């Protein structure tokens, strides 16, 4: 056996189930040994959540409690799923399925499609943007590349939130979405896109989940076969599930509750894609008997970094903030975060590059350093500054600046203007190089004021604005420079930044940095207008921006640098100010408007069956031993899912209110017709009977009825309660 075998690359497999638990802290051990019933793990950044859940699965397998083939572990990226499979192999738990939602659903769909539908599964399209373009043409809508991308994102959001084309406009308005075109046009485009897919016999990424849900709902034999295969579920990053993914998870589970979810509401940063932390925060409502374990021991970051992270959340507002975790660093002390103010953005980039150069010279590996920014359009300045300082870098999660379509197109326009500008009327009134560039780029979509909202249109404008700023800087540095000189400069910059790098400093947006960590992190552009971003208007959007900064801070292990610039370009008006999120946290910034202590420290909360519970972190008495469900009439133990939903034997007398039941059935038929779904997708007959037997007075009573999850409670709860209260004509008007 070589020495390498003993390295961390080749760890020895634990020789027993008990050995799997060695090295876990008390809370992680609680996670690993809580193998039955619903379990919710609230895991702060850097607290070892992946370690906890992989050891949980491995311990169950090695102890003979779980069969490897009966476990399905679900996460959100192929990288995370691969990492989980690798860790499970190292712990001696091979054979466990660790997949993304889409990967697991696609396997099931491919297997069951011939049996459930017949024939072969339609072809899955890799990229839907061409289909969207064809649908736009069919609707006689002229969309440029940016609008196509944004319209595609709207269709994806609609599908994961289970919004049909007819409901798109009101749903988008309710969600406060910035739509790239009139909502009615997007709805028309969405409907045409769905028609086009059907005519071409293709499906898209979201259809994989939608079709799997449909098959499991319509074919109970298929659902039972899947449930016979998988009895135990683990869901990572549960704060990021969409309503559609939650529905699929519910169908996988059926009436069982062997489910472990892991998440952190304070790291919810993808709400624009349909993700919501509500499922995590409402876990105790859906599962009153859940065991809740809080992981707060931070093994990643120094106490200084953790103190800043806790301070950011201490000022937060909203529901996620009410359930925030107070992290406790387990690492030795390190340097305090460094806050630096610069005169302008180029100076900020040069300052970061200079410090990075010093770190590299002192022996810090380039791969252990990251520069994180809010928008991809900020990357060009840092790409250039690092290149000028001789620092290798790699760009993550975005195209290189000079590879972006709008930048390439703008470069071609500038090159043409440099050659034939004398014949271009656009340049007649341009008196210097910056005004020439502004005139040329105005034809490419640049305007003096940024467009409203977010998305591709805004990103394209930011890229063009970066070129305008570069032209101003170039003209200031080289008196008498011409448009041809600028084109040569742009070509040289593009060529230098295409040089391949094997190991380099990471440049990444804050969104693409999620799940990663580095020894040294530079958080740049932490100024009002960028953090929070200008188009974040509502309280919910502002709080998501705060969580985004929190994610950035918690990427740092040892050293953290935060910076901002007072002006965009040299000589510009110094009218910017540091982000409001840093108030009271950086030296000399006054007192913070904190909220006091967080929702408790680490530990375990055992739920009680039948308890109420308003949220996942609500205190609950210690969980009693689970008892079987019994008929509320004769007392017999219930095993049939339908009988358990009614809480009585099928043959026992019912005290159902027949009038309420009939009104519920009439209301359900209307809802099903409006949504284009089978009636049982609204509520099953058994659920309607259970409602009519209990006739709930409020949402809490309604939520306790099996078959009424939070999604249906939010969507139909007010109607159902009104019907139970005797109100007539609820939800039946066509104009409703």
């Amino acid at each position: 056996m070589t020495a390498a075998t003993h390295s961390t690359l080749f760890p020895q497999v634990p020789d027993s189930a008990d050995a799997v638990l060695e090295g876990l802290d008390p809370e992680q051990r609680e996670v690993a040994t809580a193998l039955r019933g619903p379990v919710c793990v609230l895991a702060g950044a850097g607290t070892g959540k992946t370690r906890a859940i992989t050891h949980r699965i491995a311990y169950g397998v090695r102890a003979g409690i779980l069969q490897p083939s009966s476990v399905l572990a679900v996460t959100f990226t192929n990288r995370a799923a691969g990492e989980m499979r690798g860790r499970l192999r190292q712990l001696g738990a091979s054979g466990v399925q660790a997949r993304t939602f889409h990967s697991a659903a696609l396997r099931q769909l491919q297997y069951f499609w011939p049996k459930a539908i017949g024939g072969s599964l339609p072809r899955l399209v890799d990229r839907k943007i061409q289909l969207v373009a064809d649908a736009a043409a069919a609707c006689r809508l002229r969309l440029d590349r940016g609008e196509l991308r944004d319209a595609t994102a709207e269709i994806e959001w609609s599908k994961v939130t289970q919004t049909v084309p007819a409901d798109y406009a009101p749903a988008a308005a309710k969600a406060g979405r910035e739509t790239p075109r009139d909502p009615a046009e997007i709805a028309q485009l969405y409907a045409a896109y769905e028609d086009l897919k059907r005519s071409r016999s293709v499906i898209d990424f979201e259809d994989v989940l939608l079709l799997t849900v449909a098959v499991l709902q319509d074919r109970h034999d298929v659902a039972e076969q899947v449930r016979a295969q998988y009895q135990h579920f683990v869901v990572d990053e549960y704060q990021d599930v969409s309503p559609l993914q939650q529905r699929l998870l519910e169908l996988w589970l059926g009436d069982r509750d062997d489910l472990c979810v892991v998440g952190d509401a304070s790291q919810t940063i993808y709400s624009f894609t349909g993700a919501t932390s509500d499922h995590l925060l409402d876990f105790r409502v859906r599962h009153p008997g859940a065991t809740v374990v809080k992981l707060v021991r931070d093994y990643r970051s120094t106490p200084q970094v953790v103190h800043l992270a806790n301070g950011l959340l201490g000022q937060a507002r909203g529901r996620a903030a009410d359930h925030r975790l107070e992290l406790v660093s387990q690492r030795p002390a390190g340097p305090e975060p460094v806050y630096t103010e610069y005169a302008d953005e180029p100076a900020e980039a040069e300052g970061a590059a200079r410090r990075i150069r010093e770190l590299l010279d002192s022996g810090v590996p380039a791969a252990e350093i990251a520069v994180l920014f809010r928008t991809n359009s900020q990357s060009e300045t840092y790409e250039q500054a690092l290149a000028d300082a001789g620092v290798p870098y790699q760009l993550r999660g975005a195209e290189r600046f000079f590879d972006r379509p709008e930048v390439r197109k703008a470069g071609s326009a500038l090159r043409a203007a440099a050659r034939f500008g004398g014949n271009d009327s656009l340049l007649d009134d341009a008196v210097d190089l910056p005004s020439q560039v502004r005139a040329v780029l105005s034809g490419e979509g640049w305007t003096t004021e940024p467009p409203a909202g977010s998305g591709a249109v805004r990103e394209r404008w930011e890229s063009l604005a970066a070129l305008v700023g570069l032209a101003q800087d170039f003209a200031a540095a080289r008196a008498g420079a011409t448009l041809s000189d600028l084109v040569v400069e742009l070509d040289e910059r593009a060529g230098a930044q295409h040089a391949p790098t094997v190991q380099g400093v990471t440049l990444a947006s804050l969104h693409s940095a999620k799940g990663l960590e580095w020894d040294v992190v530079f958080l740049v552009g932490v100024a009002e207008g960028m953090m929070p971003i200008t188009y974040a208007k509502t309280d919910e959007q502002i709080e998501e921006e705060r969580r985004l900064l929190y994610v950035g801070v918690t990427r740092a292990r040892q050293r953290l640098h935060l910076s901002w610039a007072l002006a965009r370009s040299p000589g510009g008006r110094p009218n910017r100010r540091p982000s409001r999120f840093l108030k009271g946290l950086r030296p000399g910034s006054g007192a913070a408007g904190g909220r006091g202590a967080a929702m408790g420290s680490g530990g375990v909360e055992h739920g009680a069956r039948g308890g109420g519970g308003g949220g996942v972190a609500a205190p609950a008495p210690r969980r009693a031993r689970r008892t079987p469900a019994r008929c509320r009439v004769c007392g017999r133990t219930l095993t049939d899912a339908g009988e358990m939903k009614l809480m009585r034997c099928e043959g026992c007398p019912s005290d159902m209110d027949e009038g309420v039941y009939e009104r519920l059935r009439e209301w359900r038929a209307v809802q099903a017709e409006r949504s284009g779904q089978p009636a049982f997708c609204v509520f099953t007959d058994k659920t309607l009977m259970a409602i009519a037997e209990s006739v709930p007075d409020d949402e809490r009573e309604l939520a306790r009825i099996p078959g009424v999850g939070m999604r249906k409670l939010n969507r139909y709860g007010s109607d159902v309660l009104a019907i139970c209260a005797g109100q007539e004509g609820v939800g039946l008007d066509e104009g409703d």
Side-chain angles (χ1 to χ4, degrees), residues 249-522:
L249 178 61
E250 291 168 355
L251 288 166
W252 282 339
L253 274 168
D255 293 319
R256 302 164 301 171
D257 63 359
D258 275 335
L259 168 66
C260 174
V261 301
V262 189
D264 179 10
S266 296
Q267 296 188 68
T268 307
I269 59 173
Y270 297 109
S271 66
F272 59 92
T273 67
T276 172
S277 61
D278 286 348
H279 306 301
L280 175 67
L281 298 178
D282 291 331
F283 193 81
R284 176 70 65 77
V285 175
R286 296 194 310 278
H287 303 281
T291 296
V292 177
V293 185
K294 298 176 184 176
L295 303 183
V296 298
R297 302 174 197 248
D298 188 323
Y299 298 96
R300 176 188 298 160
S301 304
T302 64
Q304 288 74 16
V305 173
V306 166
H307 179 72
L308 175 57
N310 286 336
L312 280 171
L313 293 188
Q315 302 178 32
R317 299 288 187 273
R319 193 175 182 212
D322 291 338
H323 297 277
R324 70 194 187 281
L325 300 169
E326 189 86 16
L327 299 177
V328 181
S329 176
Q330 307 297 299
R331 295 195 58 164
E336 291 288 340
V338 176
Y339 301 88
T340 310
E341 184 174 276
Y342 292 93
D344 50 64
E345 287 183 3
E348 184 181 6
E350 290 165 9
R354 187 166 54 251
R355 292 191 178 198
I356 291 171
R357 181 73 266 173
E358 292 169 357
L359 289 168
L360 297 179
D361 293 342
S362 70
V364 178
E368 290 300 339
I369 304 173
V371 178
L372 306 182
F373 34 75
R374 176 61 181 85
T375 69
N376 289 326
S377 61
Q378 293 171 268
S379 72
E380 191 276 334
T381 306
Y382 290 90
E383 291 176 54
Q384 185 59 44
L386 292 175
D388 291 345
V391 174
Y393 67 87
Q394 52 188 337
L395 199 59
R396 179 180 178 84
E399 293 172 297
R400 290 176 181 272
F401 181 79
F402 287 102
D403 286 345
R404 296 173 192 166
E406 65 270 20
V407 174
R408 290 202 304 268
K409 190 177 177 186
S412 298
L414 291 170
R415 192 171 292 108
R419 289 179 180 174
F420 311 111
N423 299 320
D424 192 338
S425 59
L426 268 177
L427 302 182
D428 287 348
D429 299 324
V431 296
D432 55 16
L433 176 58
S435 61
Q436 289 177 330
V437 171
R438 288 193 293 269
V440 172
L441 296 189
S442 65
E444 302 300 321
W446 178 82
T447 56
T448 54
E449 294 296 326
S454 57
V457 174
R458 175 75 182 218
E459 289 181 10
R460 184 171 64 250
W461 182 89
E462 293 279 2
S463 295
L464 297 177
L467 289 174
V468 171
L470 192 149
Q472 293 170 339
D473 297 343
F474 185 67
R478 290 182 53 177
T482 65
L483 199 52
S484 296
D485 295 330
L486 177 64
V487 168
V488 171
E489 173 71 11
L490 293 177
D491 289 342
E492 289 178 353
R493 287 182 177 228
Q497 292 172 26
H498 286 165
T501 56
V502 177
Q503 155 138 191
V505 171
T506 299
L507 292 177
S509 71
L510 287 165
H511 282 102
S512 64
K514 178 78 166 62
L516 304 175
E517 58 187 75
W518 297 269
D519 284 346
V520 187
V521 168
F522 287 79

Side-chain angles (χ1 to χ4, degrees), residues 1-13 90:
M1 188 175 290
T2 65
T5 308
H6 296 286
S7 75
T8 56
L9 293 175
F10 302 96
Q12 289 185 308
V13 175
Q90 293 169 1

Side-chain angles (χ1 to χ4, degrees), residues 193-206:
Y193 169 78
E194 292 297 310
D195 290 340
L196 195 60
K197 283 198 292 95
R198 282 190 288 271
S199 69
R200 296 183 182 181
S201 297
V202 297
I203 59 175
D204 62 24
F205 204 52
E206 290 72 39

Side-chain angles (χ1 to χ4, degrees), residues 35 73 95 130 475 547 646 669 696 716:
L35 292 172
Q130 185 55 55
R547 294 194 295 271
L646 292 172
Y716 303 126

Side-chain angles (χ1 to χ4, degrees), residues 137-259:
C139 295
R140 301 183 182 277
L141 293 175
R142 295 177 60 86
L143 303 179
D144 62 27
R145 184 182 179 86
E147 289 175 320
L148 275 175
R149 199 180 83 183
D150 288 345
T152 301
E154 289 304 296
I155 291 173
E156 291 172 349
W157 172 81
S158 299
K159 298 181 79 165
V160 301
T161 56
Q162 302 177 84
T163 302
V164 296
D167 294 339
Y168 169 77
K174 182 178 180 181
R177 296 186 71 80
E178 291 276 358
T179 58
R181 298 287 285 262
D182 183 272
E185 290 183 325
I186 298 296
Q188 179 190 12
L189 175 63
Y190 178 15
Y193 169 78
E194 292 297 310
D195 290 340
L196 195 60
K197 283 198 292 95
R198 282 190 288 271
S199 69
R200 296 183 182 181
S201 297
V202 297
I203 59 175
D204 62 24
F205 204 52
E206 290 72 39
D207 288 332
V208 171
L209 299 186
L210 285 163
L211 290 171
T212 306
V213 164
V215 169
L216 294 177
Q217 285 181 160
D218 294 344
R219 292 291 299 266
H220 296 292
D221 56 330
V222 171
E224 289 306 315
Q225 193 171 342
V226 171
R227 292 166 192 161
Q229 169 71 48
Y230 297 115
Q231 286 98 42
H232 193 90
F233 296 85
V234 178
V235 184
D236 194 12
E237 303 287 3
Y238 193 55
Q239 78 277 354
D240 289 333
V241 296
S242 68
L244 179 57
Q245 289 165 331
Q246 175 64 22
R247 179 60 185 142
L248 178 59
L249 178 61
E250 291 168 355
L251 288 166
W252 282 339
L253 274 168
D255 293 319
R256 302 164 301 171
D257 63 359
D258 275 335
L259 168 66

Side-chain angles (χ1 to χ4, degrees), residues 60-88:
V61 169
R62 298 291 298 276
I65 300 171
L66 304 177
Q67 292 298 316
S69 61
S70 72
V71 180
L72 178 59
V74 188
T75 187
F76 279 80
T77 66
N78 290 320
R79 180 184 62 80
E83 179 187 354
M84 191 177 290
R85 287 193 295 270
R87 292 199 189 194
L88 290 170

